[in-house]
């Protein structure tokens, strides 16, 4: 459905293709609600280890409500207040340390990331060495590798890694993946590994999450029609960075990332008649609205939403907060 601005006389027109779905996924929505419900139930402060999701707008909003973000548990005083683990997941040593200190913790790990953790444990229990497809240093990768003893998981970042990786000899193999990767890139890496190690075990169900897949599919549907793709997201958000890459590969001449409307330099729109807009899974819709408001400063917008999937998935809050949820 195409909607046109009605208060834009004398402004040049701009076609806007809005990706659907975009923005928050169920795992991000759950993680934010965990912090908010903990604040309501237990009062401030609530401590959060690492950014709850990779978006400064979200983090700063929670800080204003009383959340305190830390990188490690040793930064948290023994005052009995809750600590929340981020949506990306944590190594097993982290809840172990929290239990030793008798901390009350809430695990906001996305259930789809937890699924990958359980897969890793399943393969390890069956004596398989695991090849993890993902990006070095990303919190999700650190958390997944930290589910098992050191040396049980080998990280594979790209097809070059897949060509040269040398897992332990005479040990059965399995692969798992980070949930926020490029669908196409991952398929190429898996193809290389499968050719080299045909007996390698695969996940029963693809590890890349539904939200990542759907957002990339929407960008692919828009990219050939757009002269510029604007991705609302954060530079440390893996799924947002992937959307920029997907847009370029899918035929959009230029794609950029902005964290919010005020970061958009309208000069980049010079000569552009059709722009695509999407948002990473940790970017709230209010930031997309900011970008649209910024565009309206110069243009009369004709907006079309391009929907490739409907998302109705929700995840329950932890049992400790279930009464607060009700």
């Amino acid at each position: 459905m195409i909607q046109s601005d009605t208060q834009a006389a004398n402004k040049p027109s701009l076609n806007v293709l809005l990706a659907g779905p975009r923005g928050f996924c169920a795992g991000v929505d759950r993680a934010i609600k965990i912090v908010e419900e903990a604040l309501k139930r237990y009062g401030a402060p609530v401590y959060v280890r690492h950014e709850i999701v990779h978006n400064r707008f979200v983090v700063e909003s929670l800080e204003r409500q009383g959340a305190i973000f830390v990188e490690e548990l040793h930064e948290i005083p023994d005052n009995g207040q809750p600590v929340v683990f981020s949506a990306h997941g944590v190594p097993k040593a982290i809840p172990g340390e929290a239990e030793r200190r008798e901390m009350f913790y809430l695990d906001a790990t996305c259930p789809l990331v937890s699924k990958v953790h359980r897969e890793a444990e399943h393969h390890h229990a069956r004596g398989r060495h695991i090849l993890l497809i993902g990006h070095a240093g990303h919190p999700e990768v650190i958390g997944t590798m930290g589910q098992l003893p050191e040396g049980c998981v080998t990280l594979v970042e790209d097809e070059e890694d897949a060509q040269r990786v040398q897992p332990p000899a005479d040990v059965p193999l399995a692969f798992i993946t980070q949930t926020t990767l490029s669908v196409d890139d991952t398929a190429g890496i898996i193809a290389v590994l499968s050719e080299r190690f045909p007996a390698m075990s695969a996940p029963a169900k693809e590890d890349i999450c539904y939200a990542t897949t759907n957002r990339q599919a929407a960008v692919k549907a828009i990219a050939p029609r757009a002269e510029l793709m604007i991705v609302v997201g954060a530079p440390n958000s893996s799924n947002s960075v992937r959307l920029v890459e997907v847009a370029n590969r899918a035929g959009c001449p230029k794609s950029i990332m902005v964290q919010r409307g005020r970061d958009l330099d309208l000069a980049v729109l010079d000569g552009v008649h059709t722009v695509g807009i999407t948002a990473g899974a940790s970017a709230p819709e209010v930031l997309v609205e900011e970008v649209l408001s910024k565009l309206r400063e110069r243009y009369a917008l004709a907006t079309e939403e391009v929907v490739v999937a409907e998302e109705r998935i929700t995840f329950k809050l932890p049992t400790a907060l279930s009464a607060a949820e009700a």
Side-chain angles (χ1 to χ4, degrees), residues 2-11 14 296 299-303:
I2 299 177
Q3 296 180 331
S4 298
D5 285 1
T6 57
Q7 298 178 340
N10 303 320
K11 291 183 179 179
L14 180 69
R296 290 190 183 99
Y299 298 101
L301 305 185
T303 305

Side-chain angles (χ1 to χ4, degrees), residues 31-260:
I32 294 168
K33 284 180 178 175
I34 287 173
V35 179
E36 291 176 336
E37 291 294 345
L39 284 162
K40 290 177 186 175
R41 173 172 276 209
Y42 303 105
V46 167
Y47 299 93
V48 185
R49 184 187 179 276
H50 193 68
E51 290 188 343
I52 188 69
V53 297
H54 283 157
N55 187 276
R56 287 304 307 168
F57 179 89
V58 171
V59 168
E60 290 168 5
S61 172
L62 292 172
E63 285 177 333
R64 288 191 293 272
Q65 297 175 55
I68 296 176
F69 291 83
V70 301
E71 286 304 309
E72 299 298 342
L73 296 186
H74 66 74
E75 301 172 53
I76 301 174
D78 293 319
N79 60 4
Q81 286 297 100
V83 56
V84 179
F85 301 150
S86 81
H88 310 99
V90 296
K92 274 191 173 178
I94 301 303
E97 179 185 347
E99 288 166 7
R100 284 192 298 273
R101 289 182 56 186
E102 298 183 345
M103 290 176 142
F104 171 45
Y105 67 86
L106 298 163
D107 190 355
T109 301
C110 173
L112 299 180
V113 174
S114 295
K115 176 184 80 72
V116 177
H117 291 179
R118 303 293 80 78
E119 287 174 359
E121 292 175 330
H122 169 87
H123 291 309
H124 179 64
R126 283 154 181 75
R128 297 168 184 150
H129 185 80
I130 297 167
L131 302 177
L132 169 59
I133 302 171
H135 297 297
H138 189 277
E140 183 183 330
V141 166
I142 293 170
T144 299
M145 294 185 76
Q147 300 306 302
L148 301 178
E150 189 172 350
C152 295
V153 182
T154 299
L155 183 63
V156 178
E157 294 198 74
D158 52 31
E159 289 189 32
E160 287 186 9
D161 274 0
Q163 289 284 5
R164 62 179 179 236
V165 65
Q166 295 296 331
D170 302 320
V171 175
L173 298 176
F175 80 86
I176 57 178
T177 81
Q178 185 179 333
T179 62
T180 55
L181 300 177
S182 160
V183 173
D184 296 332
D185 284 350
T186 305
I189 296 168
I190 293 170
V192 172
L193 291 174
S194 298
E195 183 176 353
R196 291 188 62 203
F197 311 111
M200 176 181 65
S201 296
K205 186 178 180 182
E206 186 176 283
D207 288 337
I208 296 177
C209 80
Y210 78 94
T212 297
T213 301
N214 288 346
R215 280 149 190 72
Q216 291 180 18
V219 165
K220 288 178 182 177
I222 288 172
R225 300 171 56 191
E227 298 152 272
L228 172 70
M229 182 71 68
I230 299 173
V231 176
V232 181
N236 61 339
S237 164
S238 175
N239 74 85
S240 298
V241 173
R242 302 289 84 74
L243 291 174
V244 175
E245 297 171 352
V246 167
N248 287 332
R249 293 179 185 176
C252 188
K254 184 175 183 179
S255 57
I256 61 171
M257 182 189 295
V258 297
Q259 297 199 55
R260 54 190 312 174

